[in-house]
Amino acid sequence: MGIELTWAWLEGYPSLDFANTVIRRGWTEHELVTSVDDLESWLHAAALPAPRPTTVDENDLRAFLHLRDAALRLLRAAAGHGTWHESDVRTLNETLLGTPEVMVLGEEPGSLVSRAVGSPAPFTLLLARLAAAVRDVLAGPRADLALCDAPGCGQLFFQRRTNQAWCGPACGNRARVARHHTAGHG
């Protein structure tokens, strides 16, 4: 059995949790989802809407990474770090169009429930819902979307203050220590 991964949930937004399956060690990016076991671990730990797939395979892994890579590039571009590519928009939109959903009334007054049109496989529906979460971030007024600038992080997050450069206190401390170390040895 492989090493048990510890996942970081910075924001509680599935779109960012999805994109943040790529991290930095120093200034080098590392893929966290490299196998079917990694994908199953992430799916088990993530706060995602049901239904969830009971099993995944290599095809699911490839589909997950293809959509995630496009979403990551688009979210980074929206945060001012990268280029907005039409091919990434096409990947996101094709995922959404491949499994349309409609909102119907729920059991309680004022509640809505999402229903897939047709009978898509659970993993296909999950990818469509992740694509929809990314779409909602990209389509909304998100001037607060940022990329953590701390060495060893690089995760996307929503700023709580306009001058916030790091996703959390640990990254802020790490960045200040690195800056102090550089200043003392420069």
Side-chain angles (χ1 to χ4, degrees):
M1 179 156 209
I3 297 171
E4 183 70 24
L5 293 172
T6 302
W7 300 103
W9 311 114
L10 293 179
E11 297 294 330
Y13 292 93
S15 56
L16 300 189
D17 294 338
F18 178 48
N20 287 336
T21 56
V22 172
I23 61 166
R24 283 194 324 225
R25 294 286 184 244
W27 295 105
T28 304
E29 289 191 344
H30 293 275
E31 173 65 61
L32 293 178
V33 181
T34 61
S35 69
V36 169
D37 288 342
D38 294 342
L39 178 55
E40 286 178 344
S41 172
W42 187 83
L43 290 170
H44 178 72
L48 300 172
R52 292 179 182 209
T54 55
T55 61
V56 293
D57 60 25
E58 289 291 330
N59 290 330
D60 296 332
L61 175 64
R62 282 190 291 281
F64 178 90
L65 294 175
H66 180 67
L67 178 61
R68 193 282 319 275
D69 290 347
L72 179 61
R73 286 188 295 268
L74 290 170
L75 288 164
R76 284 181 175 171
H81 296 272
T83 305
W84 187 270
H85 292 283
E86 186 177 315
S87 61
D88 293 330
V89 172
R90 191 171 32 258
T91 295
L92 195 75
N93 287 339
E94 286 171 357
T95 302
L96 291 165
L97 291 169
T99 310
E101 290 187 88
V102 295
M103 298 303 288
V104 297
L105 289 175
E107 297 292 322
E108 303 292 323
S111 69
L112 295 173
V113 177
S114 178
R115 297 270 196 245
V117 176
S119 301
F123 194 78
T124 303
L125 181 56
L126 177 71
L127 287 179
R129 288 181 174 168
L130 287 168
V134 171
R135 176 209 56 212
D136 293 347
V137 169
L138 294 171
R142 283 293 180 194
D144 57 345
L145 181 63
L147 189 69
C148 182
D149 199 29
C153 186
Q155 296 198 77
L156 291 155
F157 70 102
F158 290 118
Q159 295 172 315
R160 289 177 180 79
R161 301 177 316 281
T162 56
N163 65 343
Q164 183 179 353
W166 307 297
C167 61
C171 282
N173 290 339
R174 196 168 52 252
R176 284 187 285 277
V177 167
R179 188 173 50 228
H180 177 75
H181 181 71
T182 302
H185 293 91

